[in-house]
Amino acid sequence: MKKEKNNGSKQLHPVTKDDIHFEVPNNWETVRLGQVYDIEYGKSLSEKYRNSEGEFPVYGSNGIVGFHTEYLVDKPSLIIGRKGSAGAVNLSDKPFWPIDTTYFVTPKKGLDLFFSYYLFKTLDLGKFNKATAIPGLNRQDAYGLIIKIPPLAEQKRIVSKVEELMALCDKLEARRQKKTRNPK
């Protein structure tokens, strides 16, 4: 995967041996998040201007907050809570409108959408909350995180295994709830 050069908004220190705390296969890349992902700002769309008859979801910091007839982002992407539910991660596989309390991330070539989703879910971005009354996330903090990126085929295998295990967890939870409701 091609790493992007730092632009003016991403002043990132290179990853050094001291930053690497565990080994991964040689074909995985150890990079800073901001070297391979761009975290973009959503755009204001107040409720009074939304058209609920629209087909495109409008995302706030913790999920869908309405619908609209227009979209801002036309590619499958992640939506990350910026204000309020700072660090919450959602995924849209169709065009959508992320409002100004969110960031969005459109994975680049070589990055699987679902792998990216699970990766961002593990990052605990809420720990970077900088606000006092209303939780807030600064993307510069996220850009400095060190992540490990496997080749695309391995990303897809990881996603497949995670989804298989999550389905098993769902079955076990349903069984547990059934036993709780109907004890013998």
Side-chain angles (χ1 to χ4, degrees), residues 28-117:
W28 289 40
E29 292 187 57
T30 301
V31 296
R32 294 203 184 269
L33 184 86
Q35 290 177 282
V36 292
Y37 289 101
D38 290 323
I39 301 174
E40 306 290 337
Y41 284 97
K43 186 176 177 183
S44 179
L45 180 63
S46 66
E47 199 170 342
K48 67 181 179 181
Y49 294 114
R50 296 178 202 159
N51 182 338
S52 61
E53 302 295 317
E55 64 178 295
F56 303 110
V58 175
Y59 280 87
S61 60
N62 200 22
I64 295 174
V65 295
F67 290 87
H68 194 53
T69 53
E70 298 176 38
Y71 56 83
L72 184 65
V73 180
D74 66 348
K75 292 181 174 68
S77 301
L78 308 179
I79 301 93
I80 301 167
R82 185 176 72 83
K83 295 286 183 192
S85 296
V89 181
N90 289 280
L91 181 149
S92 182
D93 59 359
K94 64 181 190 176
F96 66 98
W97 190 293
I99 63 173
D100 57 352
T101 61
T102 69
Y103 293 119
F104 67 93
V105 175
T106 304
K108 297 177 178 131
K109 185 176 182 176
L111 293 166
D112 180 79
L113 175 68
F114 294 96
F115 175 84
S116 298
Y117 172 75

Side-chain angles (χ1 to χ4, degrees), residues 119-178:
L119 172 66
F120 272 78
K121 295 282 278 187
T122 68
L123 295 177
D124 188 22
L125 295 174
K127 70 185 172 197
F128 295 116
N129 175 18
K130 296 285 187 178
T132 52
I134 299 174
L137 171 65
N138 181 327
R139 67 184 177 173
Q140 295 303 325
D141 293 329
Y143 279 152
L145 290 172
I146 296 171
I147 59 173
K148 314 285 185 175
I149 303 289
L152 185 58
E154 183 71 9
Q155 292 174 41
K156 291 180 182 300
R157 283 191 293 274
I158 290 168
V159 167
S160 177
K161 191 62 166 178
V162 167
E163 290 177 348
E164 175 187 324
L165 292 171
M166 294 303 289
L168 176 60
C169 289
D170 291 343
K171 285 180 186 176
L172 291 171
E173 178 60 19
R175 188 180 306 163
R176 186 193 66 78
Q177 287 181 3
K178 184 177 179 182

Side-chain angles (χ1 to χ4, degrees), residues 1-40:
M1 171 180 3
K2 186 177 176 183
K3 295 180 219 171
E4 297 236 336
K5 293 186 178 183
N6 294 341
N7 63 28
S9 66
K10 296 182 191 177
Q11 300 300 316
L12 302 173
H13 299 287
V15 176
T16 66
K17 284 186 177 184
D18 292 337
D19 295 322
I20 301 170
H21 301 291
F22 60 91
E23 289 189 31
V24 294
N26 289 337
N27 61 347
W28 289 40
E29 292 187 57
T30 301
V31 296
R32 294 203 184 269
L33 184 86
Q35 290 177 282
V36 292
Y37 289 101
D38 290 323
I39 301 174
E40 306 290 337

